[in-house]
Amino acid sequence: MNPIIKDTEPFIAFVGAGASAIPPSQLPTWFQFNDLLLECLCDGLAAYSNNRQPTDEMLAAFKERRNRTPFFPPDFQAQLMEEEVGADYFHVWQSLETDVYGPVHEGLAELASQGRLSAIITTNFDRLIETALNAKGIPFEVFHDAASFNTLQLRSTSAEYPLLPVIKIHGSIEDAASLIDTLKQRVVGRPESLQQTLDIFLRKHPWLFLGFSGADFSYDPNYLGILNAADVAKGFVFLAREGEELQPGVRQLENAYGKDRAAIVYGDLSRWLSETFGLIASKHRPNLANESDDPTQRIKGNIKQWVDKLGPMAMVNILYSMLKSSGLETYAHWLLRKTWKSYRSAAETQGPSYARYNYNYGVSLLEAGFVYNRVSLDTDMNNFAEWKDSADQNAYEYLARSYSTGKLLVAGGQLASLLAYRGEVGKAISLSATVTEDAITGNEKLQFCDIAIASVPIYDMVRVFDPVSLQLQRCLDITRELGDEPRRAMICAHLGRFLTYGGHFDKADDFINEADRIGQRLDLQDVILASQAARGRWLTDSATSDEDAVKLLQQVAATLRAFNDTPLYSKVNLNLPDPRPVQIKGRSPALCRVLLDLNRAAFFAGNNKVINQTLDELDELTIEHFPGYCPHYYLAYAECLLQHGDDKQHRLAADLINRTRLLGESSGNPWPAQAADNLAQHVRLG
């Protein structure tokens, strides 16, 4: 026996997923369960689409995206799923329900019968520990949620444990609401009452880690407060698998505790308890009759039932979100389009999942720049088919439906952004204010944050800085409170931009760095792009380096152009005598701001080539597609003319300034008139 765990002293058993993964229970590990879930979702889509979607490619991309993310990859995918279907996501874990326990569970029950255990702590959702304890006739009490953790904390201070505590720190399968599986749940951390109890257990008893990889310690070195307790804790023994490389976080823990209070031992998990403690295996297990079943296929069947119960629209929403997060925007857009055009039935066009589908498709179309129906319906409706085809590619239709019928406030936020891009800035301001107030009134914290993110182009067009920074700071506090790292990252990027606009360069620098750090860690490409764009503006406005700003913003612009150059789908007009596929491409409205910043950086760097290139590109982009940014383009053009032009060009600048005033008035944007008045003072007319 290792001297840290003495022959007579009770200890804490800390049990990880490995205990349930070995035969006969053979429950999947976290990654294996994630694989089964992804496979069932893709199988469901294949059936729904009659095999008209590239589900094999999707599945490979999901797994590759997950595996290349350094820390706890499945929990980010879990968060994407939970955002699409809400609390229903957690019910999928009930697919693990079984009563087939294994040698670790049986060994712990035997040790409990000998009085060797002070408590059992587990990260597992399953109830196999409880099943084994019941089979052995051991009295125990389960603590798995905030309320029970409070009870446990009160007992730990008085040292009253009439029954063996079984502490399930990530929740328990019978109570889906208690399960901790998403990224934001893990970032928020554990209830204080649970942590206080664990602190007491660390000081009073040695711990034995069984079937636990220790990956949590690599993500969070002070996981469960164990590292911070190194000076006062009794110590631990960590059972590792033979031939497996130890996690760096476990090595760090070993070094902190020292050789006298930390021991890494190697062995076969299925035999280690019985061999180490001289336990005799039970001759009778009432649950062994089920061991002939294939556990993986049984669990996959249960997951399939969960997918079927969700319904097609919820499944499409999940897969869309997963595809988008995997960088497969074209596949994501194609899935939404085909669902609208070919897959959906009348029965699926109602309810929360349909509202969410409309929101997702609306955002996808908005990000690709489809913000108009450019076909006017004739009074005799002879061109209805052409009008309807164009309407089906108009983000407005979907966002308006999601907001008005589905009551999704965030759809109203995105709709406001769309109106601003179309040049209806006054309407955009009003709608954004309405949905923001509704989110505050309804205490819809995440929707409040999403509306703020969606409204960033509006704030940018009206050039409001300090009030927006305060609102984004409030959103930042909310995302910290809720542990929402992806939203926090995007808010940091936007906050860095608006603080830069306001001249608060040190604070802006910190937020842009934080956005990039989270974006790189979670491989959030949209966040990385937004933080790079904000950094480009910061480099110019802070007078750090106009040349570096030009280089960085050119890279961002090139990325957005590459998105524009990628066909979203192909279209064939069968009414033509020689029908040929026409590739349909998008135009990212985000390119407007990047080109304006690139033009500004080139202006200060004296790079005339880039100045002319950006002005040419902005001319088409703003006048023909996104007139909300047209006043900004006119003023940027006028400023270049005033700086480098002759009297003729000054007259052109004066004309651009007048057009800016008219656009501001017609769009309901108060900023252009003031900016035009300021610039007009520099006009020299011969």
Side-chain angles (χ1 to χ4, degrees):
M1 174 62 61
N2 190 286
I4 296 173
I5 298 180
K6 300 179 175 59
D7 289 338
T8 57
E9 182 181 0
F11 61 90
I12 304 286
F14 188 98
V15 185
S20 299
I22 58 178
S25 45
Q26 293 180 271
L27 295 186
T29 63
W30 195 24
F31 274 82
Q32 291 167 344
F33 186 85
N34 188 249
D35 281 344
L36 295 176
L37 177 52
L38 295 176
E39 289 167 12
C40 287
L41 286 167
C42 288
D43 289 347
L45 177 60
Y48 181 54
S49 66
N50 290 321
N51 295 310
R52 288 178 288 175
Q53 287 287 324
T55 52
D56 289 343
E57 294 176 46
M58 291 180 183
L59 181 60
F62 294 154
K63 292 181 180 180
E64 190 278 331
R65 167 72 171 87
R66 178 197 67 191
N67 294 341
R68 77 169 182 258
T69 306
F71 300 118
F72 289 106
D75 60 8
F76 181 42
Q77 292 187 342
Q79 182 166 322
L80 294 174
M81 296 184 202
E82 187 266 339
E83 294 214 347
E84 295 300 332
V85 299
D88 283 342
Y89 164 72
F90 296 100
H91 290 282
V92 71
W93 284 99
Q94 293 176 334
S95 304
L96 296 176
E97 190 70 87
T98 181
D99 61 354
V100 181
Y101 59 87
V104 175
H105 312 105
E106 185 179 19
L108 291 173
E110 177 61 28
L111 287 169
S113 71
Q114 299 175 10
R116 297 302 315 278
L117 298 181
S118 298
I120 300 174
I121 301 172
T122 182
T123 58
N124 298 344
F125 300 151
D126 64 64
R127 294 191 286 185
L128 297 183
I129 292 172
E130 297 97 298
T131 303
L133 291 172
N134 278 325
K136 191 70 174 177
I138 307 298
F140 64 93
E141 184 174 4
V142 174
F143 302 90
H144 72 285
D145 60 7
S148 62
F149 293 152
N150 289 337
T151 301
L152 178 67
Q153 192 268 334
L154 292 174
R155 291 182 185 171
S156 66
T157 55
S158 61
E160 293 181 3
Y161 295 107
L163 306 174
L164 175 69
V166 177
I167 305 165
K168 309 184 78 167
I169 60 176
H170 291 166
S172 191
I173 201 171
E174 76 276 11
D175 180 8
S178 72
L179 301 183
I180 305 297
D181 187 49
T182 68
L183 176 64
K184 60 187 176 185
Q185 288 176 313
R186 294 180 186 277
V187 172
V188 166
R190 294 153 296 283
E192 183 61 29
S193 57
L194 173 60
Q195 188 58 60
Q196 290 177 1
T197 301
L198 297 179
D199 291 343
I200 292 173
F201 283 162
L202 284 164
R203 291 194 299 269
K204 285 187 174 181
H205 308 286
W207 289 30
L208 171 62
F209 291 90
L210 299 167
F212 183 64
S213 71
D216 299 74
F217 294 122
S218 296
Y219 177 73
D220 176 9
N222 192 40
Y223 178 64
L224 303 180
I226 296 174
L227 182 61
N228 282 353
D231 292 338
V232 296
K234 282 279 192 177
F236 69 87
V237 174
F238 189 97
L239 176 61
R241 187 183 302 175
E242 290 281 4
E244 189 170 279
E245 185 176 352
L246 208 61
Q247 287 282 336
V250 178
R251 285 294 184 203
Q252 182 181 3
L253 207 61
E254 179 189 25
N255 293 334
Y257 273 67
K259 293 182 179 180
D260 59 331
R261 290 185 299 121
I264 310 298
V265 298
Y266 293 87
D268 184 333
L269 179 61
S270 64
R271 302 194 307 268
W272 191 85
L273 278 179
S274 60
E275 291 175 352
T276 302
F277 291 93
L279 306 179
I280 300 175
S282 171
K283 296 182 179 179
H284 175 65
R285 287 189 195 162
N287 55 8
L288 291 184
N290 297 325
E291 288 187 16
S292 60
D293 297 340
D294 182 340
T296 300
Q297 291 306 311
R298 175 179 54 80
I299 292 166
K300 190 171 183 177
N302 292 340
I303 296 174
K304 182 183 182 301
Q305 291 179 14
W306 175 82
V307 171
D308 292 342
K309 186 177 179 181
L310 283 181
M313 281 296 169
M315 177 182 63
V316 166
N317 288 334
I318 288 175
L319 289 169
Y320 160 77
S321 183
M322 300 276 286
L323 286 166
K324 190 175 180 183
S325 76
S326 301
L328 299 175
E329 286 86 356
T330 301
Y331 281 161
H333 187 90
W334 178 246
L335 171 61
L336 296 176
R337 175 176 168 80
K338 291 299 291 182
T339 298
W340 180 261
K341 301 284 286 186
S342 305
Y343 306 155
R344 66 193 175 107
S345 66
E348 295 156 6
T349 57
Q350 55 188 342
S353 292
Y354 185 61
R356 185 73 186 183
Y357 165 81
N358 276 277
Y359 169 75
N360 287 333
Y361 198 9
V363 170
S364 184
L365 288 164
L366 172 58
E367 290 176 346
F370 294 100
V371 297
Y372 297 98
N373 183 343
R374 297 186 180 275
V375 178
S376 297
L377 185 63
D378 295 342
T379 54
D380 59 6
M381 299 185 69
N382 279 338
N383 68 334
F384 178 78
E386 184 183 3
W387 174 87
K388 179 65 166 59
D389 185 62
S390 183
D392 286 347
Q393 299 175 68
N394 180 8
Y396 182 94
E397 301 288 340
Y398 301 93
L399 293 173
R401 187 159 42 242
S402 181
Y403 174 54
S404 61
T405 305
K407 307 303 180 185
L408 277 183
L409 295 179
V410 65
Q414 293 286 357
L415 188 61
S417 175
L418 179 148
L419 292 171
Y421 281 125
R422 294 198 330 190
E424 302 172 61
V425 180
K427 291 181 180 179
I429 294 170
S430 176
L431 179 55
S432 176
T434 297
V435 293
T436 298
E437 185 59 37
D438 288 346
I440 294 172
T441 301
N443 196 32
E444 298 284 351
K445 293 182 178 180
L446 284 182
Q447 291 212 65
F448 174 78
C449 295
D450 286 341
I451 291 166
I453 292 171
S455 299
V456 160
I458 306 171
Y459 305 145
D460 191 60
M461 289 178 200
V462 301
R463 312 306 288 160
V464 174
F465 305 149
D466 289 344
V468 173
S469 296
L470 291 174
Q471 182 182 3
L472 291 173
Q473 183 65 62
R474 181 177 177 186
C475 292
L476 195 62
D477 294 339
I478 291 172
T479 55
R480 283 198 186 105
E481 172 194 342
L482 299 178
D484 198 313
E485 291 289 86
R487 283 185 175 88
R488 184 168 78 88
M490 185 60 80
I491 289 167
C492 281
H494 292 319
L495 186 54
R497 171 175 288 278
F498 281 92
L499 288 170
T500 296
Y501 287 157
H504 308 291
F505 300 121
D506 289 343
K507 289 183 178 179
D509 184 35
D510 290 340
F511 284 117
I512 295 170
N513 284 335
E514 181 70 356
D516 187 67
R517 184 187 69 80
I518 301 172
Q520 296 290 348
R521 178 165 63 83
L522 295 176
D523 195 22
L524 305 172
Q525 293 301 312
D526 55 343
V527 170
I528 294 171
L529 209 61
S531 65
Q532 289 175 340
R535 174 62 68 195
R537 180 69 185 224
W538 182 90
L539 287 168
T540 298
D541 287 11
S542 65
T544 299
S545 174
D546 298 320
E547 291 76 12
D548 288 346
V550 169
K551 292 177 182 178
L552 180 57
L553 290 169
Q554 282 179 319
Q555 293 172 8
V556 176
T559 300
L560 292 173
R561 291 191 195 101
F563 169 77
N564 293 345
D565 289 339
T566 304
L568 295 172
Y569 60 92
S570 295
K571 184 177 175 183
V572 177
N573 187 345
L574 298 177
N575 294 320
L576 296 177
D578 183 20
R580 295 183 180 181
V582 176
Q583 292 183 336
I584 305 300
K585 299 179 181 180
R587 287 182 184 84
S588 171
L591 187 57
C592 294
R593 169 44 59 194
V594 173
L595 289 174
L596 287 165
D597 288 346
L598 178 54
N599 176 270
R600 176 181 172 83
F603 178 86
F604 287 113
N607 190 329
N608 291 331
K609 180 180 178 181
V610 173
I611 290 174
N612 292 329
Q613 288 175 341
T614 53
L615 290 176
D616 288 344
E617 200 168 350
L618 282 164
D619 187 82
E620 177 194 358
L621 196 63
T622 62
I623 294 174
E624 295 185 19
H625 303 287
F626 308 114
Y629 271 114
C630 200
H632 306 74
Y633 157 60
Y634 282 162
L635 291 179
Y637 190 6
E639 190 170 1
C640 292
L641 292 171
L642 293 175
Q643 179 72 18
H644 302 289
D646 53 19
D647 287 347
K648 180 181 178 180
Q649 290 171 318
H650 273 240
R651 283 192 290 275
L652 177 55
D655 179 60
L656 289 167
I657 290 171
N658 287 332
R659 288 192 227 172
T660 297
R661 290 193 183 95
L662 293 174
L663 275 176
E665 183 178 345
S666 63
S667 69
N669 185 350
W671 172 80
Q674 180 182 356
D677 290 343
N678 291 336
L679 191 58
Q681 300 174 23
H682 302 282
V683 175
R684 182 185 72 252
L685 298 178

